[in-house]
Amino acid sequence: MKLKKADILKALEKISAPGDGQNIVESGAITNIQVFGDEVEVDVTIKNPSLQAKKKTEVEILKCIHREVYEKAKIKVNLKVDAPATPKVNQIKGNPIPGIQNIVAVASGKGGVGKSTITANLAVTLAKMGFKVGLLDTDIYGPSMPIMFDVANEKPLSINVDGKAKMKPIENYGVKLLSIGFFTQPNQAVIWRGPMAAKALNQMIFDAHWGELDFLLLDLPPGTGDIHLSIMQSLPVTGAVVVSTPQEIALADARKGVAMFQQEAISVPVLGIVENMAYFTPAELPDHKYHIFGQNGAKNLAEDIDVPFLGEIPLVQGIREAGDVGRPAALQTATPIEEAFEELTRNVVQELVKRNTDLPPTEAIKITTMAGCAAVKKK
């Protein structure tokens, strides 16, 4: 029997296009039909890439032609998928904590680069700018924030919130703080495997009453390990700040830290890189800069991997002393140290605002206070 192309087209009009209100002929899904006697070859393109949609379309074409045109027709269906490209966006993962607008992770690939010092001073500077700030010390094995905030002897209280017992964070210098250091003795080593550490971390995150916060800073442990993955799975991290010194060894690990956040499975936006201990200026030689660990290493790395450079913090004895006595150096008013941390903090806020505009509106990432605008405009 010799089949006609017009009969085939008319029969196929009874098949709906997957995910479309039109039939597969009107929608343009049928791109070509060739007829050779009782043999029919149909070229069809659909937008739905699922295996179910492809199989369903193929089966319906076979049944329709056999039923409506010729039951013994020999049919070949050439099916092609032309799915629209999905724009790559940084997905927000984890469960948002009610009341917390932005969660910023501060990380370093290597220990000893001053990550915790940067985090503490970033927190108090944000608080000075008028933001509501919390800080979670996620370094289970080496917590340092209780000392840096002069609250090492404090213990979080248990309070009742909507019938549930919650931990009340310790507060100092306008920053709400939680750390495993509050629950251990100063000379006690925390010897836990990964799952135990992750469980303790989740308790400090979700069993705490943080209240309304513009920023929750996460002081991450060095490296790219189990704690980092646990946090990315648990929390909608808005962005990450990576800290490094200009030294080549530190930069190699900082590059790995950035790569961790940029992996497709994690996909946390990197707000930028901070260069700590950038140079040393002696008090008696204020115009001299000694680049002890190298010069512009983190700045060059930022350019190389195409992430923002957030600023440089000098190697100053006062910063170390301030951390040791529990009063972050950024609280020293009208000093070059304060200016350096204010510049860094403004850049972090600015990059965060840019990052938030690149994603669909989400309660977990919106800045809602005017202090954010003031911080960006301040010179």
Side-chain angles (χ1 to χ4, degrees):
M1 180 178 178
K2 186 175 181 179
L3 304 180
K4 295 181 181 180
K5 183 177 179 179
D7 293 337
I8 303 294
L9 279 171
K10 186 175 180 180
L12 294 179
E13 288 177 352
K14 297 183 179 181
I15 301 175
S16 298
D20 201 328
Q22 298 176 306
N23 63 60
I24 60 174
V25 177
E26 290 177 337
S27 69
I30 301 297
T31 56
N32 191 31
I33 295 177
Q34 295 185 57
V35 179
F36 307 96
D38 63 351
E39 297 181 10
V40 180
E41 188 165 339
V42 180
D43 295 338
V44 57
T45 301
I46 64 174
K47 296 178 181 179
N48 190 333
S50 71
L51 182 62
Q52 182 181 2
K54 291 188 286 186
K55 193 66 180 176
K56 181 181 178 183
T57 302
E58 183 178 357
V59 170
E60 284 187 346
I61 290 173
L62 295 174
K63 286 184 175 179
C64 185
I65 295 175
H66 283 150
R67 183 180 65 249
E68 302 290 334
V69 183
Y70 181 48
E71 63 179 357
K72 295 183 180 180
K74 301 170 184 176
I75 307 165
K76 180 181 179 182
V77 178
N78 301 316
L79 196 146
K80 179 181 176 183
V81 176
D82 184 21
T86 304
K88 186 178 179 181
V89 296
N90 293 307
Q91 298 293 330
I92 295 298
K93 298 179 177 64
N95 301 314
I97 304 176
I100 298 179
Q101 303 302 316
N102 299 277
I103 301 176
V104 178
V106 184
S108 67
K110 192 173 188 62
V113 297
K115 167 188 52 60
S116 294
T117 299
I118 295 294
T119 308
N121 284 281
L122 182 60
V124 297
T125 305
L126 285 168
K128 282 174 22 180
M129 288 177 172
F131 290 107
K132 298 174 183 176
V133 185
L135 200 167
L136 177 61
D137 187 356
T138 72
D139 194 344
I140 298 294
Y141 305 108
S144 53
M145 287 302 169
I147 294 174
M148 289 189 167
F149 278 79
D150 194 26
V151 288
N153 296 321
E154 300 286 338
K155 299 293 180 186
L157 299 175
S158 176
I159 60 174
N160 188 290
V161 180
D162 298 329
K164 295 181 180 179
K166 295 278 188 178
M167 284 183 285
K168 182 181 180 182
I170 302 299
E171 187 167 351
N172 202 12
Y173 310 127
V175 177
K176 294 180 179 179
L177 177 67
L178 273 182
S179 169
I180 197 68
F182 292 134
F183 306 99
T184 60
Q185 298 300 319
N187 58 350
Q188 179 185 349
V190 178
I191 309 173
W192 289 343
R193 292 189 183 274
M196 187 71 174
K199 183 178 179 180
L201 191 59
N202 274 339
Q203 282 187 305
M204 287 196 294
I205 294 171
F206 296 108
D207 291 346
H209 181 60
W210 291 101
E212 297 290 328
L213 294 180
D214 296 305
F215 292 93
L216 176 63
L217 302 185
L218 307 177
D219 182 33
L220 298 182
T224 55
D226 194 47
I227 294 295
H228 304 75
L229 294 176
S230 296
I231 288 173
M232 302 310 154
Q233 290 173 341
S234 301
L235 288 173
V237 178
T238 314
V241 172
V242 176
V243 180
S244 179
T245 62
Q247 188 178 5
E248 197 60 42
I249 294 175
L251 293 170
D253 289 337
R255 186 186 292 268
K256 295 173 187 174
V258 172
M260 175 189 69
F261 290 113
Q262 291 179 337
Q263 282 195 25
E264 189 173 352
I266 295 176
S267 194
V268 169
V270 177
L271 303 178
I273 296 177
V274 181
E275 184 169 277
N276 194 26
M277 309 182 208
Y279 57 86
F280 172 66
T281 298
E284 63 274 14
L285 297 170
D287 296 328
H288 287 63
K289 289 184 179 180
Y290 295 94
H291 297 90
I292 298 173
F293 297 109
Q295 186 172 358
N296 295 330
K299 186 175 184 180
N300 293 335
L301 174 62
E303 292 176 359
D304 184 41
I305 61 179
D306 195 27
V307 299
F309 180 65
L310 299 172
E312 57 184 22
I313 303 298
L315 177 61
V316 178
Q317 182 176 341
I319 296 178
R320 190 273 303 166
E321 292 173 341
D324 286 348
V325 300
R327 184 175 171 81
L331 296 172
Q332 300 172 11
T333 58
T335 63
I337 296 174
E338 182 192 41
E339 291 177 9
F341 281 115
E342 283 191 349
E343 179 66 21
L344 166 63
T345 305
R346 283 196 297 270
N347 290 338
V348 170
V349 173
Q350 198 164 26
E351 290 302 326
L352 191 64
V353 171
K354 288 180 185 178
R355 172 260 183 272
N356 287 350
T357 59
D358 290 339
L359 286 175
T362 305
E363 284 300 317
I365 62 173
K366 284 169 63 178
I367 291 180
T368 57
T369 68
M370 291 303 293
C373 301
V376 173
K377 293 179 180 178
K378 186 176 177 182
K379 296 294 182 185

